[in-house]
Amino acid sequence: MARRKMMRRTRSLVTSAAVLALAVAGLVMTPMTAYAAAPTVVSLTFDDGHADQMAAAQTLDALGLKGTFFVTSGVVNTPNYFTLDQVRALSAAGHEIGGHTVTHPDLTTLPTDEATRQVCNDRVNLSNWGFRVTSFAYPFASANATTETIARNCGYNSARGLGDIRTRFSCGTCAVGESMPPADPYYTAAPDQVENTWTLADLQRSVTQAENGTGGWVQLTFHHIANNPSDPITISPTLFNQFANWLKTRPATTTIRTVDQVIGGTVKPLVNGPAVPPPGSGNLVKNPSFDTLTNGLPQCWQQGGYGTNTPTFSMVNQGRTGRAAQIVMRNYANGDAKWLPSLDLGGCSPAGTAGHTYNLGMWYKSTVPTQFAVYYRSGIGAWTYWTSSPWFAAATTFQKASWTTPALPQGASGISFGLNIFSNGTLTTDDAEMFDVATAPPPTTPPAGSNLVQNAGLETAGTGTLPQCFQTAGFGTNTPVYTTLTTGAHSGTRAVRLQMTGYTSGDSKLLPSLDAGSCAPPATAGKTYSLRAWYTSTASTQFAVYYRNSAGTWVYWTSSPWLAPTTTYSQASFTTPALPAGATAISFGLNLFSNGTLVTDDYAMYDTVGAPAL
């Protein structure tokens, strides 16, 4: 919720005739009582419902001043945001509670039904908690004619923008104050949001330039009130206290009022947003290939993340199909970043049914490991982190990450997920999918005779010194060293050498990555498979074989008979027993279980039905 707000274009004012027409329709209230020359009204507004805004509320209470707190209802009672008791305490002290959507999306990027749910249901949530709700603020100050109509139809008396009143930071030719009543009550003009670059003089100037000019209404917008100078939308409690105390001393022609006190009007009836369609069948992800853009961003997708890091989000044309979404991570200390379906009320986020499990899929390229981070929606629209998948290996070409979730918790109605990046590097994602396991299409069956091992010849480099889609594994007391050879391969230009020293117990081996589906060879329960690899070795070796079970966990399965040492390349082969019920993939590798040297190349795994002859 703490993303930097976007400044909206300067708007031309509607004509006085239009204002009169709105007033007749009951949409613009009677102007406030006339003031002396250049009267100025200041409204202190606070966006999002950050818990640290209570520091500002304490200052206002001590001075007898009242503010307007625009609350994002979907984050109430979540960490770092207001509790419901705190919102009730603000209201009881005389502060206004306004609407700010349920989950804080950019409304202009949403389908109309979803934008309507966000605005209307937020007002319903707040009203059901007992608050008088007449004022609204657009998240990111992002609005257009459609969102203004939505705010009006949802029963609000006004809606605030940003960036259309003069500051030293922007809009130097703008008015020094909004008119009263506003020419457009559903996009009221306000200065830029207050940021950490603002000084006491800047805050004071926003008031005195109106007092010394044409007067009018000055709405100041605050986010965090805390001692955190590195956050661009934070000012210190000391600075806020200094400004509030200064405001208290202004002449009688300058007054401090809530937004509702400025706009006036009755509380209009509540309006519920459109119902969310029930979960359908097929791929539940909307705009799965990122190809539909709104304002340059993929429709129905948002940027997510946390922690101390610097991610750069962008769209690239070199996708698996069409466009793709990319993240470049720099300055990583902790946390992550990811693209994920919008955390909304159902217009974009995939619908889910409590108790069901879901197959998640996404194609990716990455210079570092990645994993699915998964969230669910419940209650009034609050989103909660749920779980993460196992890691998927770095990949220089597009690979498919696949994972099946646990059963969706009770009360949950939606899911959002994305592959994340949690170290410095680059991650590119494309072609997302989510299927209810109960209705998921059967997996694609590879053509008969297909080698199911990816990067079978070890030719494509992966992360570090290992080939893409391969990893090392082992156990016991021994010292293995792996080296990618660029000469002496069985075919192509690469093979991998394992040198074992210090052997006491256990083994070590190179095998296809034990992952959730992007690299591990797919397999079908009940079938048998022909495993093959070319090798040279100074010691005996054998295949060690694993399978991935229905829970997504890899388990040791079986081993082949021993294979004799050989100084020239020989092909090792082994036919497995029938794959156990519930198994979905196999991984295998030739191992060393004594001191010596083993070189492997050209792995293969075939369904025994249709396998080529040895």
Side-chain angles (χ1 to χ4, degrees):
M1 304 306 168
R3 288 182 285 174
R4 183 182 179 90
K5 290 191 179 285
M6 299 182 293
M7 297 302 129
R8 188 171 179 265
R9 61 179 174 82
T10 302
R11 299 168 50 86
S12 59
L13 300 181
V14 298
T15 65
S16 57
V19 174
L20 177 60
L22 290 171
V24 170
L27 301 179
V28 177
M29 306 312 300
T30 303
M32 299 170 56
T33 304
Y35 290 88
T40 300
V41 176
V42 178
S43 291
L44 303 173
T45 74
F46 303 84
D47 282 10
D48 303 345
H50 297 291
D52 55 30
Q53 292 170 5
M54 292 303 294
Q58 291 171 1
T59 296
L60 297 180
D61 291 341
L63 295 172
L65 305 177
K66 307 304 176 186
T68 297
F69 291 81
F70 292 109
V71 175
T72 305
S73 60
V75 299
V76 171
N77 288 328
T78 64
N80 302 317
Y81 291 93
F82 288 145
T83 65
L84 181 53
D85 285 344
Q86 287 175 318
V87 184
R88 285 176 171 152
L90 290 170
S91 179
H95 302 292
E96 179 187 5
I97 305 302
H100 201 42
T101 71
V102 178
T103 66
H104 203 276
D106 180 343
L107 294 172
T108 64
T109 68
L110 301 180
T112 300
D113 278 0
E114 174 61 22
T116 304
R117 274 190 291 271
Q118 287 283 346
V119 179
C120 286
N121 292 2
D122 183 51
R123 183 166 182 258
V124 169
N125 293 339
L126 295 170
S127 298
N128 287 343
W129 286 333
F131 307 120
R132 170 190 167 92
V133 185
T134 63
S135 307
F136 180 72
Y138 296 104
F140 312 109
S142 183
N144 54 28
T146 298
T147 61
E148 291 188 26
T149 299
I150 290 170
R152 181 181 65 246
N153 291 345
C154 289
Y156 285 106
N157 294 337
S158 68
R160 194 210 68 213
L162 287 173
D164 294 315
I165 296 296
R166 187 184 310 169
T167 71
R168 75 175 174 94
F169 302 99
S170 68
C171 210
T173 60
C174 286
V176 295
E178 170 66 286
S179 60
M180 295 180 292
D184 180 357
Y186 293 100
Y187 198 92
T188 61
D192 300 339
Q193 64 191 5
V194 177
E195 299 190 348
N196 64 0
T197 53
W198 285 54
T199 64
L200 178 60
D202 292 320
L203 291 166
Q204 293 171 339
R205 187 180 301 112
S206 66
V207 177
T208 57
Q209 68 182 5
E211 293 174 338
N212 298 329
T214 58
W217 183 24
V218 179
Q219 300 178 83
L220 291 170
T221 302
F222 302 89
H223 286 80
H224 290 286
I225 310 297
N227 291 309
N228 183 14
S230 64
D231 185 343
I233 56 175
T234 298
I235 68 167
S236 70
T238 298
L239 177 56
F240 184 83
N241 292 348
Q242 291 171 338
F243 176 61
N245 278 276
W246 177 83
L247 267 182
K248 183 70 174 178
T249 67
R250 301 315 294 154
T253 52
T254 296
T255 56
I256 293 83
R257 299 191 177 192
T258 66
V259 173
D260 182 48
Q261 289 171 336
V262 174
I263 297 294
T266 60
V267 179
K268 297 176 184 175
L270 296 179
V271 178
N272 288 297
V276 177
S281 58
N283 185 2
L284 300 176
V285 178
K286 297 177 175 63
N287 191 23
S289 61
F290 301 94
D291 287 333
T292 301
L293 302 183
T294 302
N295 297 333
L297 297 175
Q299 186 179 70
C300 283
W301 290 83
Q302 72 172 62
Q303 301 162 11
Y306 71 100
T308 304
N309 51 69
T310 306
T312 300
F313 295 84
S314 64
M315 302 303 299
V316 296
N317 292 325
Q318 297 75 33
R320 175 177 176 265
T321 58
R323 295 187 181 92
Q326 187 173 90
I327 307 170
V328 178
M329 178 70 83
R330 300 181 179 88
N331 305 318
Y332 182 86
N334 54 56
D336 76 0
K338 58 257 180 183
W339 285 98
L340 65 170
S342 300
L343 300 175
D344 64 11
L345 303 182
C348 286
S349 56
T353 302
H356 288 213
T357 60
Y358 293 86
N359 290 336
L360 310 182
M362 185 175 286
W363 289 82
Y364 76 99
K365 294 191 299 184
S366 183
T367 61
V368 292
T370 182
Q371 66 180 162
F372 285 120
V374 192
Y375 302 79
Y376 69 81
R377 184 187 62 239
S378 63
I380 63 171
W383 283 91
T384 303
Y385 167 74
W386 179 20
T387 187
S388 292
S389 71
W391 289 10
F392 301 102
T396 56
T397 59
F398 275 105
Q399 304 292 328
K400 186 178 182 181
S402 302
W403 186 60
T404 300
T405 72
L408 192 61
Q410 290 301 309
S413 59
I415 294 175
S416 185
F417 66 96
L419 288 174
N420 65 1
I421 185 167
F422 46 93
S423 59
N424 289 330
T426 300
L427 169 68
T428 305
T429 54
D430 199 2
D431 297 329
E433 63 186 32
M434 173 178 139
F435 293 96
D436 189 323
V437 168
T439 61
T444 301
T445 302
S450 297
N451 183 358
L452 302 174
V453 178
Q454 296 194 51
N455 193 23
L458 313 181
E459 297 298 308
T460 302
T463 302
T465 61
L466 295 177
Q468 180 179 293
C469 281
F470 277 77
Q471 70 170 68
T472 63
F475 69 101
T477 304
N478 52 70
T479 305
V481 175
Y482 288 87
T483 306
T484 297
L485 303 178
T486 55
T487 59
H490 172 256
S491 68
T493 61
R494 293 175 184 265
V496 173
R497 180 180 65 203
L498 162 61
Q499 291 179 303
M500 176 77 81
T501 59
Y503 183 86
T504 301
S505 61
D507 78 357
S508 192
K509 57 260 180 184
L510 178 77
L511 67 173
S513 299
L514 301 173
D515 63 14
S518 62
C519 285
T524 302
K527 291 193 173 186
T528 60
Y529 292 86
S530 175
L531 312 182
R532 308 175 188 184
W534 289 84
Y535 78 101
T536 66
S537 182
T538 63
S540 297
T541 184
Q542 65 179 168
F543 283 117
V545 191
Y546 302 79
Y547 70 83
R548 187 181 62 221
N549 64 23
S550 58
T553 302
W554 283 92
V555 295
Y556 169 75
W557 180 22
T558 187
S559 294
S560 72
W562 288 10
L563 301 163
T566 175
T567 57
T568 58
Y569 275 106
S570 299
Q571 188 176 34
S573 63
F574 172 61
T575 299
T576 71
L579 191 61
T584 58
I586 292 173
S587 186
F588 64 97
L590 292 172
N591 64 4
L592 265 185
F593 45 92
S594 63
N595 290 329
T597 300
L598 170 69
V599 178
T600 54
D601 196 3
D602 295 330
Y603 287 59
M605 174 177 137
Y606 299 99
D607 186 328
T608 52
V609 177
L614 290 164

